Amino acid sequence: MDTNAIPTPERKKVIFSAIQPSGTITLGNYLGAIKNWVALQDDYRCIFALADLHTITVRQDPAKFRQNALQAYALLMACGIDLEKSLFFIQSHVPTHAELAWVLNCYTQFGELSRMTQFKDKSTTHADNVNAGLFTYPSLMAADILLYQADLVPVGADQKQHLELTRNIAERFNGVYGNTFTVPDPYIPKTGARVMSLQEPTRKMSKSDENVNAWVAVLDKPEDILRKFKRAVTDSEACVRYAEGKDGINNLMGIYAVMTGKSYEEIEREFDGRGYGDFKAAVAESVIAHLRPVQERYAQLIKDKAYLEKCYTESAQAAQRISQRTLDKAMKKIGFIKKAF
Ligand code: ATP
Ligand code: LTN
């Protein structure tokens, strides 16, 4: 048999991404991140994590933190993260992350970390707790990514700078010791939605916004979703069309387009001559209908703690095996004595 005729299956590219369990997961997180992760699972080797070590850079109430993390895990599974295809683990369960983060801290410059805009922002908003973890946050994120030799990392605009730093750290390390880490590229999804606040549509929808009417949570009750959309800030033109300066309507049209698969022209035609009240109700209904199956799956999953435990444990064990290889390789190159146990 001519073995050359058998096509060798191309290695699937590795994708790594993570999300912090820092509170309620919003429609912004869902459309901007999670929904894309779900879609990537067939074409890539996907490794996802709940970045709980990152979350303690801001002080957390222990009971609430534990609850948020478990809920976020169940919710991402309900959104479609599938353990038959991907790994999905809890960062603090895989010790290689903290270990490599320390190592990478020694290959990251103070000046580089000082230039991170997230650090500058968060040290202003949390001025009473500017801890060293907040400062070295990007080295831990670099460890997350580099441990899995990730080719691609889907991140939002706010995390691009951290990814750029990850690339610099990897290149620097490879430059000194020879090829050790894959240098990752950002992954920009073809259809990404940037969801804006329903109250201040020039700002992004953010779960830490104190005004609860500014965001819709994936687990919000239908009546709350309807109320929040009905109160959404728009403009006085009373015409559903996509145009500069119509930030509120543009945002609602963006959401409706993702939910229904309709183009902006189709939406404009559908609501031609109709008021904003009708349009807002239609957007709300489309979101409610889209989230209903997610909410139903979540309600089942969150009741089954034993199943969730099995899922995150098996994923963490697999992640530990993969990441240990990279950590060992890096430590050997640096010159650490190999552990004999
Ligand atoms: P915080 O309010 O604590 O900053 P957040 O809601 O902005 O949180 P992050 O935890 O920073 O969310 O982000 C998680 C993921 O969700 C990232 O990939 C981010 O790009 C994406 N994301 C967050 N908000 C939006 C949004 N409004 N539109 C699109 N994507 C978003
Ligand atoms: N910092 C990110 C979450 C995060 C992450 C990562 C994203 C932690 N580690 C590695 C991509 C790759 C955030 O707050 N959105």
Side-chain angles (χ1 to χ4, degrees):
M1 191 168 88
D2 177 10
T3 48
N4 288 330
I6 303 170
T8 40
E10 230 180 272
R11 183 183 78 100
K12 276 190 184 174
K13 288 204 166 175
V14 177
I15 285 211
F16 181 91
S17 202
I19 189 166
Q20 288 194 49
S22 51
T24 338
I25 291 191
T26 65
L27 189 65
N29 301 137
Y30 178 67
L31 296 181
I34 303 163
K35 196 162 174 283
N36 293 320
W37 292 6
V38 171
L40 293 167
Q41 296 182 104
D42 287 321
D43 297 330
Y44 297 92
R45 171 80 182 110
C46 291
I47 303 178
F48 300 123
L50 213 53
D52 59 345
L53 294 174
H54 280 105
T55 307
I56 63 160
T57 52
V58 173
R59 186 86 73 239
Q60 302 292 322
D61 168 73
K64 192 86 198 115
F65 180 36
R66 198 173 295 120
Q67 190 190 9
N68 279 343
L70 194 66
Q71 287 182 350
Y73 191 87
L75 183 53
L76 265 79
M77 299 261 296
C79 290
I81 301 294
D82 181 353
L83 298 191
E84 297 280 319
K85 300 175 185 163
S86 309
L87 294 184
F88 178 38
F89 63 91
I90 299 172
Q91 185 191 32
S92 64
H93 292 182
V94 184
T96 47
H97 290 248
E99 292 176 80
L100 185 65
W102 169 258
V103 171
L104 297 183
N105 266 330
C106 303
Y107 296 82
T108 309
Q109 297 303 306
F110 182 87
E112 289 178 302
L113 293 172
S114 318
R115 286 194 290 277
M116 294 295 114
T117 49
Q118 181 176 301
F119 172 69
K120 290 192 259 181
D121 290 351
K122 292 221 169 159
S123 41
T124 316
T125 45
H126 302 281
D128 55 336
N129 184 20
V130 185
N131 59 73
L134 199 60
F135 189 62
T136 60
Y137 179 115
S139 323
L140 176 59
M141 187 162 154
D144 296 341
I145 297 166
L146 300 180
L147 278 170
Y148 300 93
Q149 308 288 1
D151 299 290
L152 295 166
V153 182
V155 281
D158 55 330
Q159 298 297 320
K160 287 251 178 65
Q161 201 186 20
H162 291 162
L163 190 59
E164 199 47 50
L165 179 59
T166 302
R167 290 172 56 86
N168 291 342
I169 297 171
E171 278 165 356
R172 181 173 307 144
F173 195 100
N174 290 349
V176 178
Y177 300 106
N179 205 8
T180 311
F181 300 120
T182 301
V183 180
D185 283 310
Y187 178 87
I188 316 291
K190 283 176 216 78
T191 53
R194 186 166 157 84
V195 182
M196 309 309 280
S197 156
L198 298 183
Q199 291 298 311
E200 275 178 83
T202 48
R203 293 176 40 181
K204 75 162 193 166
M205 182 181 282
S206 173
K207 58 181 172 280
S208 48
D209 198 319
E210 275 165 21
N211 183 350
V212 295
N213 288 319
W215 45 263
V216 167
V218 174
L219 292 176
D220 268 350
K221 291 198 206 67
E223 59 268 30
D224 293 330
I225 298 179
L226 185 61
R227 192 194 69 244
K228 290 179 184 183
F229 276 108
K230 288 220 153 160
R231 291 197 185 159
V233 169
T234 49
D235 54 68
S236 54
E237 193 195 32
C239 174
V240 178
R241 65 183 183 100
Y242 198 93
E244 203 168 316
K246 288 174 70 77
D247 301 305
I249 287 295
N250 295 350
N251 186 37
L252 296 181
M253 285 179 76
I255 296 170
Y256 193 61
V258 181
M259 291 299 156
T260 59
K262 291 178 185 165
S263 68
Y264 288 164
E265 294 77 48
E266 286 172 311
I267 300 171
E268 286 168 2
R269 269 199 301 280
E270 184 179 351
F271 292 95
D272 188 24
R274 293 164 67 187
Y276 284 167
D278 273 10
F279 178 52
K280 287 177 172 181
V283 179
E285 286 311 327
S286 71
V287 171
I288 293 166
H290 189 95
L291 295 182
R292 187 174 295 121
V294 173
Q295 297 189 345
E296 284 169 2
R297 273 197 299 276
Y298 172 82
Q300 292 299 317
L301 281 165
I302 199 68
K303 280 193 293 204
D304 199 346
K305 303 280 186 297
Y307 177 68
L308 291 173
E309 185 180 287
K310 177 174 179 290
C311 292
Y312 60 68
T313 303
E314 286 178 3
S315 264
Q317 286 167 335
Q320 174 68 33
R321 281 193 296 277
I322 301 170
S323 59
Q324 190 70 53
R325 266 184 260 141
T326 308
L327 179 66
D328 289 348
K329 186 168 148 190
M331 291 186 71
K332 184 173 172 206
K333 292 203 175 192
I334 295 168
F336 285 105
I337 295 175
K338 192 176 179 332
K339 269 205 297 242
F341 57 92

